[in-house]
Amino acid sequence: MVVVFARLSWLVLWTITVTFVSSYNQYSPFQQCPVSAECNKNITQASSPEGTICSPRYSHPYPADITCTYDFYANPGERVQIKFTHFNLHKSKIYSEVNGDCKLEDSVSIFIYEDYDEATAMFCGDTLPLQFMSANNWMRVRFVSNPSPGKGQASGFEFQYKFRKDFGITTGLQSFGDRNRPLCHFTYNSKIQKVGNFTSPNYPGVYPSATNCQYVFRGERGERVTITMDNFDVGLRSETNVCGGQNDHVTFTCYSHEGPDKGFQPICGVMQSLLTKRVSDGEYFRVLMTSNDNYEHTGFLGRYEFGKGYNVFAPTTPSPETLSGRESSSPRGPSLDVISATLLGLLVCFNMNTAMS
């Protein structure tokens, strides 16, 4: 809309033009895809470190009987992360939201092993998939539209991709190995920050398989480290029901050397924050996460606090800002800490000298 005003002053015509610009597109769910909707594409970290991929004709109905393949190649030791921002695929009449088989539907599949042509995950319908990360430096995303005509109002998909060195872990000081290869090893120093958070890889999405991560906490002399994990969901095979071994698990240790710490047992499965709380006996603490072949669990949002000594009647560790707008589900308050101390004993690490005596 353009509105023009004019007035005559001293025989000079002044013209003022006011332009109104609608902001409707800013809030539209169908933004124009920045990347051309090519149906087959190889993407390297050098050529495009991050970007957006859309289905053909997005955000209009996509064509029938097509297959699109997108291959991502990261540098050695780095990972590929994708996050869907829109997902709306055609569903057939026989499809059921509860028991639907994506193999018979239009679908998006994710492959993480270059020499193994079987999808690790397959998505269909209109439920937005969780954020996903590769298990190594390669990932394939394949979109299949069945020959059936009439896709209705199915508008396709849009996802953002990013090549990551940090495994999607945005806190702590990351370590690097030979030839500057990134490691899933992060250090948290009391001199830098007393209270903060740490996460499993790719949180709040599903964590990648075949990944080992270490989180090292270094306090000042006389301090202890308190660890609590919110939204804890680390894979557990129902047939074994034992943490460790073939099950994904998290372990805690007061020692810098390898090997189990007899003071702590591995934890896994779905657990409330209260049950994950652990306290070190000294200024050093280490948390290890091991994943095997699971690709369906979201890991954890961890909280840490360095403090002088430990008072079991003190309020629960304060929660810093949580990630991605997710609110912490952990209970707070002195009374809950007392329950934790009474029922669980808080599983305090034994002093190294005591353990060796």
Side-chain angles (χ1 to χ4, degrees):
M1 175 187 294
V2 178
V3 182
V4 179
F5 301 90
R7 70 182 178 90
L8 186 62
S9 177
W10 298 97
L11 300 178
V12 177
L13 182 65
W14 297 87
T15 303
I16 302 175
T17 303
V18 179
T19 304
F20 169 73
V21 179
S22 170
S23 60
Y24 173 80
N25 288 336
Q26 180 181 356
Y27 302 98
S28 170
F30 300 126
Q31 297 290 325
Q32 182 178 0
C33 191
V35 179
S36 60
E38 299 179 32
C39 201
N40 295 284
K41 193 173 180 67
N42 291 334
I43 303 170
T44 65
Q45 185 162 355
S47 64
S48 181
E50 58 182 86
T52 304
I53 296 291
C54 296
S55 54
R57 300 180 185 173
Y58 181 81
S59 60
H60 302 289
Y62 51 83
D65 197 20
I66 59 168
T67 298
C68 301
T69 302
Y70 312 96
D71 284 350
F72 298 88
Y73 298 88
N75 293 331
E78 301 186 16
R79 304 294 179 100
V80 184
Q81 182 184 61
I82 64 171
K83 179 181 180 180
F84 285 91
T85 53
H86 182 78
F87 197 84
N88 181 239
L89 302 186
H90 173 70
K91 293 181 289 186
S92 67
K93 293 182 179 180
I94 62 173
Y95 179 81
S96 166
E97 284 290 342
V98 178
N99 300 311
D101 185 355
C102 287
K103 294 179 180 179
L104 303 176
E105 303 293 323
D106 295 355
S107 63
V108 173
S109 300
I110 297 178
F111 301 79
I112 61 169
Y113 299 113
E114 196 168 3
D115 55 351
Y116 189 59
D117 193 28
E118 183 172 335
T120 300
M122 182 178 288
F123 309 107
C124 56
D126 53 11
T127 300
L128 195 69
L130 288 173
Q131 187 170 277
F132 213 86
M133 178 173 283
S134 64
N136 48 46
N137 64 327
W138 178 88
M139 179 189 285
R140 170 173 292 163
V141 179
R142 178 179 293 163
F143 169 55
V144 176
S145 172
N146 290 328
S148 58
K151 298 301 179 180
Q153 298 302 313
S155 51
F157 64 85
E158 178 186 60
F159 68 83
Q160 300 168 349
Y161 69 86
K162 188 173 184 179
F163 296 97
R164 304 200 65 146
K165 296 180 180 180
D166 61 5
F167 297 82
I169 300 170
T170 58
T171 61
L173 178 64
Q174 186 177 14
S175 298
F176 291 82
D178 295 338
R179 299 182 180 180
N180 206 34
R181 188 185 183 96
L183 304 176
C184 194
H185 185 291
F186 298 82
T187 301
Y188 301 82
N189 197 310
S190 173
K191 294 181 179 180
I192 298 175
Q193 189 170 336
K194 296 292 186 184
V195 179
N197 58 45
F198 64 103
T199 70
S200 52
N202 194 46
Y203 185 87
V206 293
Y207 58 80
S209 65
T211 301
N212 298 314
C213 293
Q214 294 194 46
Y215 310 86
V216 176
F217 300 87
R218 298 184 181 275
E220 297 185 81
R221 187 176 182 84
E223 287 186 329
R224 287 183 176 181
V225 189
T226 301
I227 299 291
T228 307
M229 294 182 174
D230 300 329
N231 308 319
F232 189 88
D233 178 15
V234 175
L236 175 65
R237 294 177 183 270
S238 59
E239 61 267 24
T240 61
N241 203 34
V242 176
C243 299
Q246 294 301 311
N247 282 322
D248 300 350
H249 59 276
V250 172
T251 56
F252 305 83
T253 179
C254 293
Y255 309 122
S256 58
H257 59 76
E258 296 301 324
D261 188 330
K262 295 181 180 179
F264 294 103
Q265 295 297 319
I267 61 175
C268 60
V270 177
M271 300 179 67
Q272 295 183 354
S273 303
L274 188 66
L275 301 177
T276 67
K277 192 166 188 175
R278 301 293 186 270
V279 183
S280 71
D281 186 52
E283 60 268 18
Y284 180 88
F285 211 23
R286 189 159 56 109
V287 178
L288 302 92
M289 177 182 178
T290 301
S291 70
N292 293 296
D293 59 355
N294 272 319
Y295 242 114
E296 55 190 86
H297 301 277
T298 53
F300 59 83
L301 166 62
R303 293 183 279 126
Y304 67 87
E305 180 183 13
F306 296 97
K308 296 289 184 181
Y310 184 75
N311 180 3
V312 296
F313 297 100
T316 302
T317 307
S319 175
E321 292 182 0
T322 54
L323 305 182
S324 303
R326 290 176 59 145
E327 293 297 327
S328 170
S329 63
S330 65
R332 299 184 178 88
S335 61
L336 292 174
D337 236 20
V338 175
I339 295 173
S340 177
T342 304
L343 300 181
L344 306 176
L346 286 176
L347 293 177
V348 177
C349 221
F350 291 109
N351 183 281
M352 184 181 296
N353 293 330
T354 304
M356 295 178 64
S357 62

